[in-house]
Amino acid sequence: MQSSRRFVQRSFVGVMLLGALGALFPFAGCGRTSITPAEGGSLGGDGACGDGTCDPEETCATCAQDCGFCAGCGDGACTGIEACENCPVDCGVCASCGDGTCGDGESCATCVLDCGACAGCGDKTCDPNESCATCPVDCGLCQTCGNGACDASETCASCPGDCGACSSCGDGFCTSPEDCLSCAPDCDACPSCGDKECDAGTENCFTCPGDCGKCAGCGDGICTGTETCASCQADCGVCSVCPNGKCEAFETCSICPQDCGTCQTKGCLEVVTCALGCLDLGANPPKFSVTCVANCVAQGCADVQFFVDQVLTCAVGVLPDCGGDFGCIQSECGAEFAACIGAKCN
């Protein structure tokens, strides 16, 4: 009797277990049908969205980061299963992108502002999970970038010329997702910028004014709108931050020793030689950089600076007669040079 009862109990448990497993089967092999993936998780299997492998339960619609974008994404029309979560280039970036949290539906393939750039971004190859909306440095700028309007698919990371620079751009440090296109002030211009050819793929008046010419408004004396020190030096000045570990343009040991090193006190003749090197005596009239001269003079002690001033004042006075003839300048300012040579720092 007890044996029969155990058999019935086991049979009942077996039926219940089979029923539970049967209820799971429809979901186990179908993959996700929702276009909103669970960031960092998966429905079955041991894979996860973002692990670099397109697992069986992942699709281009649910995990573009691993599986790449679906066919048709990038054709300019947001249709079918396309949405901001899986095709920002057609559907625009999601409203939550830019809130500082890499949340559900966001990944490096769809929201670099919150999730950072994908690992391959910057390798000069437009990978299946990259687009002009998330990695223009590899895929090129979106067609709308440069039209003066921050379109739905554009952000400060993909098109600062239209959307303005991201808040961290300009702090002197090139940190992800910043790159040479999104933040030249911190990351410097891209390598191709400066070859005298305006590459339509990645260059325009904002990303490379040296090759493509100045943007409208640049040169009016006011640093406004989306202008930066990289896109419009004439209005916004040079890109230099002290300290940031780089001795940048116009930074010197006297104004930024943290980046350029501590100045070594120089003798009068050394300072004069340095200062005269700031003059282009071959030009007519001679040209010179006040900043360069000031930096040279600042490296001498008080007594030295006095005699340097005497030499330079004399030199400037005889330039109309001597022009670029340095021997003539030395002859006309012989007494001043002699005093300079004898100057000592107390």
Side-chain angles (χ1 to χ4, degrees), residues 139-175:
C139 302
L141 298 167
C142 291
Q143 291 184 347
T144 57
C145 186
N147 65 2
C150 188
D151 296 292
S153 62
E154 297 173 351
T155 66
C156 61
S158 65
C159 188
D162 290 347
C163 302
C166 294
S167 58
S168 64
C169 185
D171 63 5
F173 298 92
C174 186
T175 53

Side-chain angles (χ1 to χ4, degrees), residues 310-324:
Q310 299 304 301
V311 172
L312 295 181
T313 299
C314 177
V316 170
V318 300
L319 278 177
D321 296 326
C322 292

Side-chain angles (χ1 to χ4, degrees), residues 8 16 32 43 46 85 90 115 134 186 221 244 269 287 292-293 297 302 319 327:
V8 171
M16 292 297 291
R32 299 179 194 169
L43 299 180
D46 56 1
E85 295 94 341
D90 288 346
C115 304
T134 55
D186 292 347
N244 67 347
L269 198 58
K287 298 179 180 179
C292 178
V293 172
V297 175
L319 278 177

Side-chain angles (χ1 to χ4, degrees), residues 3-130:
S3 176
S4 299
R5 187 175 300 160
R6 288 194 188 111
F7 175 80
V8 171
Q9 288 175 339
R10 288 172 181 169
S11 298
F12 178 75
V13 172
V15 170
M16 292 297 291
L17 180 58
L18 287 173
L21 291 174
L24 291 175
F25 284 149
F27 299 98
C30 294
R32 299 179 194 169
T33 56
S34 169
I35 59 173
T36 305
E39 180 64 28
S42 61
L43 299 180
D46 56 1
C49 186
D51 64 2
T53 302
C54 187
D55 299 301
E57 70 276 9
E58 296 173 346
T59 68
C60 60
T62 61
C63 188
Q65 182 176 358
D66 292 347
C67 302
F69 295 108
C70 295
C73 182
D75 62 6
C78 185
T79 56
I81 62 172
E82 292 179 354
C84 64
E85 295 94 341
N86 59 21
C87 188
V89 67
D90 288 346
C91 303
V93 296
C94 294
S96 62
C97 185
D99 63 6
T101 301
C102 187
D104 289 347
E106 294 180 347
S107 70
C108 65
T110 59
C111 182
V112 295
L113 290 178
D114 294 342
C115 304
C118 290
C121 187
D123 62 5
K124 298 182 180 180
T125 300
C126 189
D127 297 318
N129 63 353
E130 297 172 351

